[in-house]
Amino acid sequence: MARTSALSSLPMVTVMSGTTALLATGAFTLRSGALLDGGALQPLGALVCCGVFLVATWVAHVVFRRLSFHRRPLTVRSVAASVVVVIAVVWGVDAASAQVWKHPWTRYSDEFGGPGACLADTSYGDRWHVLVRGVGEGGPMEVWPGAVEGSQEATPRTLLRLRAEGRRALNPADEASTRILRDHGCG
């Protein structure tokens, strides 16, 4: 049996599979907050990412060896295809995770201020509010009302304060905010 001098594609597909699993798990845990929210979960999230990388690499090696990738030569086309697959999978996992675990501003727009939401046509809606102070700045999320174009009503001075605890739904942080949401039929 003649031995070829071409490199095997098995190590490349094995490593690319493990890298895909690591990056996808990293994107998933970052979006879900497992690595950032709650300090006790940070080491666990990092261990899960590393464990997924090791298991995926081992499984990929076994599967691709059975599919005879150790006999297939390493080509530019196979490297390019594997890079495209890695990018597509990680991008897809990140996009799906972003729909499940949304940023508080996105949740505000979806739940209260965006088109068709209960505060959309008020001074607290996405088109009119002046400022949203984010969660990362400490304290509750604040929505400062703005003047509604073409309206004769005075701009309210009451801030809408919402608690954005972790990745859960936004809740009013004080009685005035509860009243604002109740008065506009937010539920």
Side-chain angles (χ1 to χ4, degrees), residues 127-128 147-151:
R127 291 177 52 203
W128 314 114
V148 176
E149 196 173 294
S151 174

Side-chain angles (χ1 to χ4, degrees), residues 9 12-13 16 73-86:
S9 63
M12 188 266 312
V13 294
M16 292 303 255
L74 183 63
T75 63
V76 173
R77 199 168 53 181
S78 64
V79 172
S82 66
V83 169
V84 168
V85 168
V86 169

Side-chain angles (χ1 to χ4, degrees), residues 9-103:
S9 63
L10 181 63
M12 188 266 312
V13 294
T14 300
V15 170
M16 292 303 255
S17 298
T19 302
T20 302
L22 176 65
L23 293 174
T25 306
F28 179 80
T29 55
L30 283 172
R31 288 283 185 183
S32 69
L35 291 178
L36 302 176
D37 293 348
L41 293 178
Q42 289 176 347
L44 180 62
L47 285 174
V48 166
C49 288
C50 291
V52 166
F53 169 73
L54 292 174
V55 169
T57 302
W58 179 77
V59 168
H61 180 75
V62 170
V63 168
F64 286 120
R65 185 156 184 87
R66 287 188 185 221
L67 294 173
S68 298
F69 270 72
H70 61 286
R71 292 189 185 125
R72 296 181 186 180
L74 183 63
T75 63
V76 173
R77 199 168 53 181
S78 64
V79 172
S82 66
V83 169
V84 168
V85 168
V86 169
I87 291 169
V89 169
V90 173
W91 192 340
V93 167
D94 187 52
S97 298
Q99 290 303 310
V100 175
W101 292 285
K102 296 179 181 181
H103 190 277

Side-chain angles (χ1 to χ4, degrees), residues 24 70 136 144 147 173 175:
H70 61 286
W144 296 44
E175 186 58 38

